[in-house]
Amino acid sequence: MSRAVDAVEVLFARRSTGRLVAPAPARDDLQTILRAAAAAPDHERLRPFRFTVLEGADKDAFGQVLADAYAARCVSAGIEVVGAKQEKERTKLGRAPLVLVVSAVRRATAIVPWEEQLAAAAAAAQNACLAATALGYGSMWRTGEPSYDPNVKAALGLDAADAIVAWLYLGSYREGVPPEPNDPDLEGLLLPWSPP
Ligand SMILES: Cc1cc2nc3c(=O)[nH]c(=O)nc-3n(C[C@H](O)[C@H](O)[C@H](O)COP(=O)(O)O)c2cc1C
């Protein structure tokens, strides 16, 4: 089988996997995943993407950041802090042994609109998921309220104007069993066009 066919198979093999287990991507594999992310297309080579690896005790500690940020959002919205929700924030990074946060740092440029910088960071996130899949790991791209929370951004060293594009949960498949490959159909996706 040719290399190109293998690569196309990886596109379909990438599926969101909600619960992933140890082992996390090994050091060399993580390096490959990060380099694949950094290979994303990027208008003007601004390199607007940033990566934060959360693993082990650091990941656990970041759960407290998420829990505190949830409570602060509640306080500023004048709503009650729900203990179960706060606990979910504190523990949710436990759904995989490693979480890779992909962010976009806003660069002031007349040539590349912010939307394109976000698109480059999203391409980086997808590259990371595909590389993880190719290396035999499971992945899941998640977002949610913390992605838009300035306190969470600050904890990651980002400005409020920057964006958290993805929380990529990475790890091994439970019992080593990957999910079924994707089998998308194109129904409704093709917009016909012909000259007027
Ligand atoms: C920008 C973005 C944000 C996402 N956020 C979430 C999320 O917060 N929670 C979630 O369960 N899935 C999230 N997903 C994953 C989608 O739910 C998932 O890709 C979709 O259900 C298709 O499944 P598949 O990835 O296995 O093909 C997100 C995907 C993208 C691209």
Side-chain angles (χ1 to χ4, degrees):
M1 191 183 294
S2 75
R3 211 166 248 260
V5 172
D6 286 346
V8 171
E9 281 180 2
V10 167
L11 305 185
F12 295 106
R14 184 218 53 79
R15 298 310 308 269
S16 298
T17 307
R19 297 278 164 185
L20 295 162
V21 296
R27 287 301 101 187
D28 284 1
D29 289 342
L30 181 60
Q31 197 67 11
T32 301
I33 290 166
L34 292 169
R35 293 186 68 244
D42 157 29
H43 194 175
E44 285 280 306
R45 298 189 71 78
L46 291 179
R47 294 164 62 86
F49 22 71
R50 295 290 182 274
F51 311 116
T52 310
V53 177
L54 299 175
E55 195 176 6
D58 293 348
K59 181 160 69 68
D60 296 344
F62 205 88
Q64 193 57 48
V65 171
L66 297 180
D68 292 345
Y70 161 74
R73 285 199 299 280
C74 291
V75 169
S76 67
I79 58 174
E80 179 199 352
V81 177
V82 178
K85 287 189 179 175
Q86 190 171 21
E87 183 61 7
K88 182 171 180 207
E89 291 298 311
R90 199 182 63 71
T91 58
K92 68 184 184 183
L93 298 179
R95 293 175 293 194
L98 188 151
V99 176
L100 174 61
V101 190
V102 179
S103 308
V105 288
R106 192 185 287 252
R107 303 283 302 272
T109 150
I111 297 173
V112 185
W114 174 229
E115 287 82 352
E116 294 187 12
Q117 298 177 42
L118 285 172
Q126 177 70 347
N127 273 9
C129 286
L130 294 174
T133 305
L135 293 166
Y137 299 102
S139 66
M140 179 140 183
W141 181 331
R142 296 182 189 267
T143 48
E145 286 185 19
S147 306
Y148 310 101
D149 186 321
N151 290 326
V152 178
K153 293 182 187 181
L156 290 167
L158 302 169
D159 290 335
D162 299 332
I164 298 171
V165 171
W167 304 79
L168 300 181
Y169 287 68
L170 302 176
S172 300
Y173 301 113
R174 281 192 290 184
E175 287 158 24
V177 182
E180 287 296 306
N182 204 340
D183 182 21
D185 68 61
L186 296 175
E187 183 69 36
L189 299 183
L190 295 172
L191 298 178
W193 186 86
S194 51

